[in-house]
Amino acid sequence: MPDRLTEDLPATGHAAELAREQTALTTLYERLDAMREYAQRRLRTVLLETGGTPQARSERESFTQLYTEDLAKYDAAEHGLCFGRIDLSAGVDGVAEQRYIGRLGILDEDDDYATLLLDWRAPLARPFYLATTATPDGVTRRRHIRSRNRRITTITDEYLDLDLARAEGAIESDTGVGSESALLAALNAARTGQMTDIVETIQSQQDAIIRSEHRSVLVVQGGPGTGKTAVALHRAAYLLYTYRKQLDKAGVLIIGPNSTFLDYIGQVLPSLGETGVLLSTVGNLYPGVQATLEDSLRAGELKGSLGMIEVLKKGVRDWQQTPPEPIRLTFDGYEITLDRKIVTKARGRARSSRRPHNLARPVFAASVVDALTDQLAQTMGKDLTGGQNLLSQADLTEIRDEMRADTEIQRAIAGLWPILTPQEVLAGLWADPARLARAADTLSPEDRKELFRPDDGNFSAADAPLLDELAELLGVDDAEERERSRRRWRTQLAEAQDALDILTGSAPQDLEDDLDPEILMAYDLIDASQLAERQHVRTHQTTAERAAGDRTWTYGHVIVDEAQELSEMAWRMVMRRIPNRWVTIVGDVAQTGDPAGASSWQQMLEPYVAQRWKLAELTVNYRTPAEIMAVAADVLAAIDPGATVPRSVRESGCPPRALHVSPSESVSTVADLVATEADRPGITVVLTPHATLADYTELASDVVQVLTVPEVKGLEFDSVILVDPQDILDESPRGLNDLYVALTRATQRLSVVYSGELPEVLDALG
């Protein structure tokens, strides 16, 4: 398509090009403002509307969601609306085409809805990311446009056509053939504490993964700084754009390692044009439970192993009791006995049904009631002459029904086979040493001691998969809720019919016979069920909101970031939510810090997809400077001698340094380093062992964070100050992995402060 945005402007000279692009950008923002104003006007109109039919209310709620999401999308695109342009060689019609690329698509309503701005996810925008001098794909020039507050600050051209480059004198200039200046500028920019999107600088290796058509499990393995997280988020946006019909209703779930990480990435998806994605950690994936407790490393490892399945099964069975002594009951003036034999038989029947615990309870209760009915019949209907029992089948059925409603009998049954919740079972398991010993009899006393925890109503992140497993073992018995709903509906239906009867009785009686059929009354237009239906109060929720509150929700696609940290039990929880197995997994097994985490992708995935998963690798390190990566490479070699070190694309000019101090000088030395970093742009992090974290918390500020290694998974900082790396090694069975993570968080500078010994793997710093 010809460039209609700027066709009346001069096309020579850098100043003229800036003016040309500014005019184009202004036009795009004018259209964005018009789109925003239209959405605001329509939203105001919809919000002022009230009443109406159920269909009208439903449509109003849908429009409210539509315009609200549109406004969020427009607001998110405000910064960097248009970030690029590609010029294509002339086609068969002799007309060269220019395509502007941006965060969302914009059409020209005054010119037959011609495209003014291409959404970066559209197929026609793909050459912006894939074209190279070797395979230009028809592209002669790729222009990167950087702007601030709707004003263009710089334009950078990459020439993929050598003749065009020569003609415009670009060979000898800062811009040139295949230049990566735009990428390097983005990489060198200071961190802000929130993740920025990479739509301007997506590289061909990343683009291939983002747009992959693989419909099973796609594993994206990549070392530090290779852009795994950015690729995962852009893949989510791309899939929602490309498969909107399939994913709109089911939704997309993105799982991150911790809440800090979710806050970090939280603004990226809206800026990519998507607002309907659920972000969650594994610990918060079970509805109604917030993971606030922290387990010991050993407890987390135990909870993450598949051996917990048998522990939980035994834990549930432990609630299915037999009475140590016969239970004496009184029914209708007669004494009956609920003994061990009756309960054992009923328990066997319930377990043989292979139903979950709560759903098997009616089988248990029915068996107990049958046995008690037979016992009572032997007393009440006994024929003293030795004949047959005097009670008929109708009598027995009546007794059985009365026993089902008897409070004392039902209380006894509830004590032997109670209705349970996952929270009740798990909290009781951890808080009761005797119960834990019976359920976890294969664990050592030391391991059971690690799991013991008083019941304070709180849970840890490792508990969430166990709660999910218990929900499967227990089942949901909603028979009472269904019956309550039926009773409410019958009441509403009766009230609606009464209202219509009143209207019918108050109808005018003095109308002429020939006019009566022409007058419609309310009862002519609506029946009782329609009137009752209109009294239902409906609340509108987005797909993500509905999914967050529903444990059984199944998603259209799931993305797991830092996936190497998930335990075997966590994977069972995740896979229940994605039965179609369309999953994108991003991570690096060399960075696994959780003892329950993955040592290989095959280990975690084989139970669910066997060999039906695809591996894609990211090998270029965009974050970590070469000077720092040279130090981290020694740690990687100690973890896995055969691992490939990601290739850094740049140097920072700041070699990492190590400072040996006395224990009493550690805090003051770190404080001095923090003060030095305050004069530089960006974010600094102080990474400490768990044991000494409190010593440094006073250093935290808006531009300084004080964290432990597990808290920085997936994050990046301009400067990293690493404290006592040997203690970090000693704290975890996977200390080398944690040290590798710590070393590779910096985008510019790394300082190591230690008061003991420097680990051998860091000899390069000595």
Side-chain angles (χ1 to χ4, degrees):
M1 61 185 174
D3 177 19
R4 296 177 302 96
L5 289 173
T6 58
E7 58 189 5
D8 297 329
L9 291 175
T12 59
H14 187 69
E17 285 296 304
L18 280 174
R20 172 190 179 91
E21 298 299 4
Q22 184 60 60
T23 300
L25 186 64
T26 300
T27 300
L28 292 173
Y29 273 113
E30 288 173 352
R31 285 292 312 127
L32 180 67
D33 289 341
M35 293 158 64
R36 182 186 287 113
E37 182 183 355
Y38 174 79
Q40 289 173 336
R41 186 172 65 252
R42 292 296 303 137
L43 180 59
R44 284 194 299 268
T45 301
V46 169
L47 292 176
L48 289 173
E49 295 176 357
T50 58
T53 65
Q55 180 179 348
R57 292 198 299 271
S58 176
E59 290 176 353
R60 189 162 61 245
E61 291 167 355
S62 298
F63 281 126
T64 299
Q65 179 185 358
L66 172 66
Y67 295 129
T68 300
E69 291 180 353
D70 280 348
L71 287 172
K73 181 169 60 177
Y74 300 152
D75 290 342
E78 178 68 27
H79 173 67
L81 172 62
C82 172
F83 52 77
R85 190 188 90 188
I86 51 176
D87 300 352
L88 291 92
S89 55
V92 292
D93 56 0
V95 178
E97 182 182 351
Q98 291 181 343
R99 299 174 187 168
Y100 282 91
I101 317 297
R103 300 182 187 280
L104 48 76
I106 293 180
L107 304 177
D108 188 353
E109 296 181 2
D110 298 328
D111 187 13
D112 200 23
Y113 292 92
T115 301
L116 295 177
L117 184 67
L118 272 173
D119 190 301
W120 69 272
R121 296 162 292 191
L124 287 176
R126 199 173 188 191
F128 181 79
Y129 303 109
L130 297 186
T132 65
T133 52
T135 55
D137 199 18
V139 178
T140 60
R141 182 206 330 250
R142 173 168 43 223
R143 171 167 290 176
H144 295 274
I145 302 170
R146 301 184 72 84
S147 61
R148 178 175 295 183
N149 298 329
R150 299 194 174 194
R151 301 297 301 176
I152 290 180
T153 56
T154 58
I155 55 174
T156 306
D157 286 343
E158 298 174 45
Y159 291 86
L160 285 76
D161 184 308
L162 194 59
D163 292 335
L164 178 62
R166 288 196 187 98
E168 298 196 2
I171 296 295
E172 304 300 329
S173 67
D174 291 338
T175 59
V177 179
S179 168
E180 293 184 334
S181 56
L183 171 62
L184 294 176
L187 296 177
N188 285 316
R191 307 302 100 178
T192 64
Q194 287 186 322
M195 185 178 182
T196 57
D197 61 65
I198 60 167
V199 288
E200 303 99 325
T201 57
I202 291 173
Q203 303 302 295
S204 59
Q205 188 182 58
Q206 298 170 326
D207 185 82
I209 294 172
I210 290 170
R211 301 173 193 263
S212 172
E213 298 296 323
H214 188 65
R215 293 299 293 264
S216 186
V217 175
L218 174 65
V219 177
V220 183
Q221 162 75 34
T226 53
K228 300 184 297 296
T229 297
V231 167
L233 296 178
H234 289 72
R235 177 160 173 77
Y238 171 76
L239 293 175
L240 282 162
Y241 176 87
T242 308
Y243 302 99
R244 183 163 297 281
K245 286 185 178 180
Q246 298 96 310
L247 297 179
D248 250 357
K249 292 183 179 180
V252 172
L253 169 66
I254 296 181
I255 298 174
N258 51 56
S259 57
T260 304
F261 175 84
L262 295 182
D263 292 340
Y264 178 59
I265 69 173
Q267 296 303 311
V268 176
L269 275 174
S271 72
L272 301 179
E274 296 300 340
T275 58
V277 178
L278 178 64
L279 302 178
S280 179
T281 63
V282 167
N284 293 334
L285 196 54
Y286 188 88
V289 172
Q290 296 293 316
T292 57
L293 299 181
E294 186 171 341
D295 287 312
S296 67
L297 289 174
R298 181 55 179 163
E301 185 177 8
L302 290 169
K303 291 179 180 182
S305 69
L306 292 180
M308 272 293 117
I309 299 174
E310 191 60 31
V311 172
L312 297 177
K313 287 180 178 178
K314 291 179 178 178
V316 171
R317 287 195 167 203
D318 197 48
W319 289 82
Q320 301 165 0
Q321 302 178 19
T322 55
E325 298 292 337
I327 301 174
R328 307 294 179 184
L329 302 169
T330 301
F331 177 78
D332 201 19
Y334 291 89
E335 184 177 280
I336 52 178
T337 302
L338 182 56
D339 58 21
R340 188 180 186 87
K341 181 178 179 181
I342 292 175
V343 174
T344 301
K345 182 178 180 181
R347 188 175 65 176
R349 286 184 177 177
R351 289 177 176 177
S352 297
S353 71
R354 298 189 179 277
R355 298 178 185 177
H357 171 88
N358 289 337
L359 301 184
R361 185 179 182 274
V363 178
F364 175 82
S367 180
V368 169
V369 168
D370 286 346
L372 293 178
T373 300
D374 291 343
Q375 185 184 125
L376 183 61
Q378 295 300 318
T379 302
M380 292 180 63
K382 184 177 182 181
D383 186 349
L384 298 179
T385 64
Q388 291 184 344
N389 197 291
L390 300 177
L391 297 178
S392 66
Q393 284 299 319
D395 294 330
L396 294 177
T397 299
E398 185 178 350
I399 292 173
R400 198 175 288 115
D401 290 342
E402 290 177 357
M403 281 190 175
R404 290 194 188 101
D406 185 85
T407 302
E408 185 181 7
I409 292 176
Q410 291 305 314
R411 187 183 300 117
I413 291 173
L416 298 169
W417 193 293
I419 294 292
L420 299 171
T421 67
Q423 292 92 322
E424 183 179 10
V425 174
L426 194 62
L429 191 62
W430 299 154
D432 187 337
R435 193 183 291 276
L436 182 58
R438 292 192 295 270
D441 54 346
T442 59
L443 297 182
S444 68
E446 292 76 15
D447 282 345
R448 292 200 295 270
K449 187 175 180 180
E450 289 286 341
L451 293 173
F452 173 79
R453 185 180 70 224
D455 180 11
D456 60 0
N458 296 313
F459 295 95
S460 69
D463 286 329
L466 306 187
L467 291 170
D468 202 63
E469 192 74 29
L470 282 169
E472 296 291 313
L473 294 173
L474 295 174
V476 178
D477 183 5
D478 58 353
E480 291 186 10
E481 177 58 33
R482 290 199 308 271
E483 179 56 32
R484 282 195 294 270
S485 296
R486 284 193 291 266
R487 285 199 297 268
R488 285 195 299 268
W489 173 248
R490 287 194 294 267
T491 299
Q492 290 174 331
L493 197 62
E495 290 174 349
Q497 187 60 59
D498 288 344
L500 290 177
D501 290 343
I502 291 172
L503 289 174
T504 303
S506 61
Q509 303 298 316
D510 56 350
L511 296 175
E512 297 180 14
D513 292 341
D514 57 341
L515 294 178
D516 189 34
E518 299 179 9
I519 299 177
L520 296 177
M521 305 300 291
Y523 45 79
D524 295 318
L525 302 175
I526 192 170
D527 59 22
S529 61
Q530 290 173 314
L531 182 59
E533 180 70 24
R534 294 188 64 174
Q535 310 312 309
H536 286 183
V537 178
R538 291 182 174 83
T539 58
H540 179 75
Q541 291 181 307
T542 65
T543 297
E545 289 170 336
R546 285 184 285 118
D550 185 352
R551 191 195 71 83
T552 61
W553 189 277
T554 56
Y555 294 86
H557 190 80
V558 171
I559 293 176
V560 186
D561 201 357
E562 299 294 335
Q564 75 277 356
E565 301 300 325
L566 268 64
S567 67
E568 292 173 309
M569 290 301 295
W571 278 114
R572 285 174 64 87
M573 183 184 193
V574 171
M575 288 301 184
R576 287 191 190 104
R577 284 151 177 78
I578 188 69
N580 66 7
R581 298 294 189 259
W582 192 16
V583 186
T584 300
I585 294 171
V586 294
D588 178 13
V589 290
Q591 297 185 61
T592 304
D594 193 318
S599 56
S600 75
W601 298 121
Q602 183 66 36
Q603 166 203 354
M604 292 299 183
L605 298 177
E606 188 170 15
Y608 309 103
V609 292
Q611 302 294 325
R612 301 185 307 277
W613 57 279
K614 179 181 178 181
L615 177 67
E617 292 194 73
L618 294 170
T619 58
V620 180
N621 188 337
Y622 300 101
R623 175 178 66 219
T624 316
E627 299 95 330
I628 297 176
M629 202 62 216
V631 176
D634 292 339
V635 181
L636 179 60
I639 297 171
D640 181 2
T644 301
V645 179
R647 178 179 61 85
S648 295
V649 299
R650 66 191 177 94
E651 298 178 353
S652 67
C654 300
R657 55 179 174 166
L659 302 174
H660 184 257
V661 298
S662 67
S664 62
E665 296 174 322
S666 289
V667 175
S668 60
T669 301
V670 172
D672 291 341
L673 291 173
V674 167
T676 301
E677 291 296 337
D679 296 330
R680 299 175 173 137
I683 303 293
T684 297
V685 66
V686 178
L687 286 180
T688 80
H690 283 82
T692 57
L693 178 66
D695 297 340
Y696 299 90
T697 52
E698 290 186 359
L699 299 176
S701 68
D702 291 342
V703 294
V704 178
Q705 298 184 36
V706 180
L707 301 169
T708 59
V709 176
E711 294 173 318
V712 297
K713 288 290 177 78
L715 307 183
E716 58 185 40
F717 307 88
D718 295 271
S719 178
V720 170
I721 301 172
L722 178 60
V723 181
D724 290 327
Q726 184 62 52
D727 291 347
I728 289 176
L729 277 175
D730 296 340
E731 279 186 339
S732 168
R734 286 181 163 167
L736 278 172
N737 302 64
D738 284 346
L739 183 57
Y740 183 56
V741 170
L743 292 171
T744 54
R745 297 307 96 192
T747 65
Q748 302 294 338
R749 296 169 297 280
L750 170 67
S751 302
V752 177
V753 178
Y754 65 103
S755 57
E757 294 295 325
L758 193 66
E760 290 184 11
V761 290
L762 297 183
D763 282 347
L765 289 173

